[in-house]
């Protein structure tokens, strides 16, 4: 009996030497009922194979689509380290002090590490590995590193960076991923304030969570974007890619955290990110 689905032959089932009904070793012929049963079994097997193939194809297409979105996110975020590298390279060209040049070289190499990490993230995703590597992070040191990077990426934008470290203790998160999150929100804030303004980052601990607040003084989020702000390719700017906030949301979800925002027309927007403190929640918080 052939296994056929959508006019495609998938295979065949062959049964030979039907034993006699009396239990002897004699070979009996197949009846019409046998043939009907075999045809029914072949039809069911064909449908099962077809469904399995369709499921495998859907999973493959979904994985390729997700990989494409991840690559788009990397291409979007790689602009930040490239901007920082360009800034340091220009400073080095004007610098004669060997120690200063060495420091700038170290900063440039650090940004190459960031880009290498992005590439490894894509490869890990393609292999099906976890892309989140939480580790013990000293929040105060993390904020210093973040401030140093943002000062260079926001340079020339007329945006003043303000950091309010209400919590300076220990947390557990993927430091590289949360840096990307902050850089995306900073870039969005700078785009929202073309005439300049203040971008504020504040930290605090509440109910076993690390709370990060990112505030700008822009015009607020347009009503047309309400409800789809974190969707891929949703942007309030004609030249925007609509990837920044989608990437932010994905990073938060990977950490099993939450994100929300408060916005007011003409008064700015604040994004509130809550991440589990993890093992730090079992330790007395240090402020």
């Amino acid at each position: 009996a052939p296994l056929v689905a959508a006019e495609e032959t998938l295979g065949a089932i062959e049964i030979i030497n039907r034993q006699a009904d009396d239990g002897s070793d004699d070979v009996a012929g197949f009846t019409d009922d046998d043939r009907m049963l075999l045809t029914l079994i072949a039809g069911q097997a064909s449908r099962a194979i077809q469904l399995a193939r369709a499921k495998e194809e859907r999973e493959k297409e979904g994985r390729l689509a997700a990989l494409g979105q991840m690559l788009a996110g990397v291409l979007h975020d790689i602009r930040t380290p490239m901007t920082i590298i360009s800034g340091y390279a220009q400073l080095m060209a004007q610098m004669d002090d060997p120690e200063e040049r060495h420091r700038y070289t170290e900063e440039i190499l650090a940004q190459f590490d960031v880009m290498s990490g992005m590439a490894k993230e894509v490869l890990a995703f393609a292999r099906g590995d976890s892309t989140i590597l939480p580790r013990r992070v000293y929040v105060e040191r993390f904020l210093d590193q973040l401030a140093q990077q943002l000062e260079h990426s926001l340079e020339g934008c007329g945006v003043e960076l303000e950091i309010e470290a209400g919590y300076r203790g220990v947390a557990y998160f993927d430091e590289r991923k949360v840096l990307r999150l902050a850089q995306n929100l900073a870039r969005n804030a700078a785009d929202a304030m073309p005439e300049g303004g203040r971008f504020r980052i504040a930290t605090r601990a509440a109910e076993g969570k690390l709370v990060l607040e990112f505030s700008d003084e822009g015009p607020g989020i347009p009503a047309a974007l309400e409800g789809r702000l974190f969707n891929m390719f949703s942007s309030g700017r004609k030249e925007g890619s609509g990837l920044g906030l989608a990437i932010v949301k994905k990073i938060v979800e990977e950490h099993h955290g939450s994100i929300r925002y408060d916005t007011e027309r003409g008064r700015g927007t604040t994004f509130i990110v809550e991440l589990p403190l993890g093992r730090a929640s079992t330790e007395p918080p240090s402020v």
Side-chain angles (χ1 to χ4, degrees), residues 40 42 75 115 148 164 183 190-191 231 252 281:
L40 179 62
L75 292 174
M115 291 190 287
Q148 187 176 20
E164 182 181 316
Q183 289 165 350
D191 291 339
N231 293 348
V252 171
S281 62

Side-chain angles (χ1 to χ4, degrees), residues 74 77-89 92 103-121 145 149 176 179-180 183:
V74 168
D77 284 356
I78 208 169
R79 292 181 299 170
T80 296
M82 289 178 66
T83 299
I84 295 173
I85 289 171
S86 175
Y88 279 125
M92 286 179 66
R103 186 171 68 85
Y104 291 147
T105 299
E106 292 295 321
E107 294 294 342
I108 288 175
L109 292 175
Q111 295 309 309
F112 278 115
D113 287 341
V114 171
M115 291 190 287
S116 175
M118 291 180 181
K120 289 178 181 177
E121 179 183 328
Q145 179 185 1
Q149 292 194 13
R176 179 170 51 82
L179 278 172
R180 286 180 66 188
Q183 289 165 350

Side-chain angles (χ1 to χ4, degrees), residues 145 190 207 230 241:
Q145 179 185 1
E207 299 178 352
F230 296 105
S241 66

Side-chain angles (χ1 to χ4, degrees), residues 4 21 26 48 57 95 108 126 137 153 160 182 196 214 218 221 227 263 269:
V4 180
D21 293 335
D26 297 335
E57 190 64 27
M95 190 65 58
I108 288 175
V137 177
S153 61
E160 176 188 352
F214 303 86
I221 294 171
T263 188
T269 300

Side-chain angles (χ1 to χ4, degrees), residues 26 49 60 117 137 142 144 179 181 194 209 245 256 278:
D26 297 335
I49 294 172
K60 181 180 178 181
V137 177
F142 170 79
D144 290 340
L179 278 172
L181 176 153
K209 298 176 182 178
L245 289 178
H256 303 290

Side-chain angles (χ1 to χ4, degrees), residues 34-71:
D34 292 332
R35 294 187 182 90
M36 289 177 60
L37 178 60
L38 183 58
T39 300
L40 179 62
I41 292 172
Q44 294 294 332
S46 298
R47 281 190 286 274
I49 294 172
Q50 189 179 29
L51 288 172
R53 285 186 174 182
K55 180 182 178 183
E56 183 180 353
E57 190 64 27
R58 286 195 304 270
E59 290 176 350
K60 181 180 178 181
E61 291 176 356
R63 192 164 190 80
L64 287 173
L67 186 58
Q69 290 181 346
M70 176 171 281
L71 283 170

